[in-house]
Amino acid sequence: MTRYDYRLVDVFTEKAFGGNPLAVFREPGGLDAKTMQAVAKELHLSETTFVLKPSSASADHRVRMFTPDTELPFAGHPTLGTAYVLADGKDATIRLEEGVGVIRVTLRDGFVQMEQPLPTFTGTTITRKVAADALGLAVEEVRSDVPIQVGSSGIPFLFVPLANLKAVRRARRLGGLGANVYVFALSAERSGSDVHGRMFDDGLGIGEDPATGSAQGPLGAYLVAHDLVRVEPTTRIRVEQGFEIARPSILDVEVDKAGAAVTAVRVGGRCVPMGGGWLDL
């Protein structure tokens, strides 16, 4: 039997018990994928990560990340939280090899930021009525002036724009959309936030996610593309999430644009170290 230590960190928050919790195994040794998945199910956090030697010369570490039900090629809070743990919360630049490629993460004065893959978007046949029914809302609570779209920087999300904060709060995960659903409105609970969002997963074993970093790059690009925020060469957007499940989270998004093209997206936030533990396997 071998003892495997892990660190626990809350991501996208400045306060303990906020944000999205993450377990990071810095030295998982010879654990195979089946055991890693079993560990993630045992801990039952949104994600658990395992740090390995990189296979790419352009990376410092390789990271595998698991929800309770499946392995992911990329996710936001596991990327930031893992980098934070590896740097012991100190200023650093770390390159993490993930399923979508090498992700560059910087830590400066306690703020952790990653450069995400450029988002891609596709249309959908899901109508406002279908989306509203699946979310327990009236059709009028789904905006008609901007589209429902699928966006991805590695994990696809169905972005459903809602009319107001009340509609986001009322939304429920009734199923039937066959996708990870991100609902949002351009209103917020906290001063300084621009967007209030929620994410309901499909088959990841999460349910409602406290903070979905991998959705923020596509969300930011969507908001810029449809002129839903004040667009600048670098547009900064603050998103709040997790309030409905008592895990308030703040996610900061930057979108670079040249002409009509989005040229870069960055997502960041703060982390709170919570301690750690071990498993004997």
Side-chain angles (χ1 to χ4, degrees):
M1 187 171 290
T2 302
R3 176 159 291 186
Y4 296 91
D5 295 326
Y6 65 88
R7 300 293 296 172
L8 186 65
V9 60
D10 287 343
V11 184
F12 292 121
T13 181
E14 293 182 326
K15 296 182 179 180
F17 307 113
N20 208 343
L22 174 74
V24 181
F25 286 81
R26 297 179 65 162
E27 297 181 1
L31 294 181
D32 58 19
K34 182 178 179 180
T35 305
M36 291 179 185
Q37 184 65 76
V39 167
K41 184 175 285 292
E42 177 74 13
L43 296 179
H44 207 71
L45 303 173
S46 292
E47 281 98 3
T48 298
T49 63
F50 302 85
V51 181
L52 307 168
K53 292 182 179 180
S55 60
S56 169
S58 61
D60 302 306
H61 307 275
R62 179 181 172 220
V63 180
R64 297 186 71 172
M65 50 191 67
F66 295 79
T67 74
D69 285 357
T70 191
E71 183 173 6
L72 299 177
F74 167 70
H77 98 275
T79 298
L80 297 184
T82 300
Y84 182 89
V85 168
L86 290 171
D88 293 320
K90 300 175 182 178
D91 287 3
T93 298
I94 297 177
R95 301 166 301 169
L96 299 179
E97 179 186 349
E98 302 182 10
V100 295
V102 176
I103 305 295
R104 185 174 181 268
V105 186
T106 59
L107 291 84
R108 296 291 182 272
D109 299 322
F111 185 81
V112 194
Q113 185 182 63
M114 63 178 156
E115 298 177 4
Q116 286 196 354
L118 286 177
T120 59
F121 291 90
T122 57
T124 177
T125 58
I126 294 173
T127 64
R128 291 172 63 218
K129 179 67 165 59
V130 169
D133 288 346
L135 294 167
L137 300 173
V139 67
E140 294 80 11
E141 293 178 287
V142 179
R143 290 181 62 159
S144 60
D145 58 330
V146 286
I148 298 171
Q149 279 190 306
V150 176
S152 175
S153 283
I155 299 177
F157 296 92
L158 181 71
F159 289 94
V160 181
L162 300 184
N164 50 47
L165 178 59
K166 182 179 178 180
V168 178
R169 288 173 176 161
R170 281 184 6 91
R172 291 173 289 158
R173 182 174 176 261
L174 300 181
L177 294 178
N180 301 310
V181 180
Y182 199 95
V183 299
F184 65 94
L186 297 177
S187 50
E189 292 196 18
R190 287 192 178 175
S191 174
S193 296
D194 304 298
V195 179
H196 188 93
R198 297 174 72 184
M199 196 285 278
F200 305 107
D201 87 304
D202 180 64
L204 300 180
I206 297 172
E208 180 169 353
D209 197 26
T212 314
S214 54
Q216 302 310 310
L219 174 62
Y222 177 102
L223 296 173
V224 166
H226 296 289
D227 292 316
L228 295 176
V229 292
R230 181 178 177 179
V231 178
E232 300 178 353
T234 296
T235 301
R236 293 176 173 84
I237 304 162
R238 174 160 285 184
V239 181
E240 58 182 37
Q241 190 182 330
F243 285 65
E244 289 77 10
I245 54 174
R247 300 288 309 196
S249 307
I250 299 296
L251 308 94
D252 288 301
V253 186
E254 294 181 351
V255 181
D256 292 347
K257 187 178 181 184
V262 170
T263 57
V265 292
R266 294 173 295 277
V267 176
R270 296 190 177 274
C271 298
V272 176
M274 295 296 292
W278 68 86
L279 294 178
D280 291 328
L281 303 173

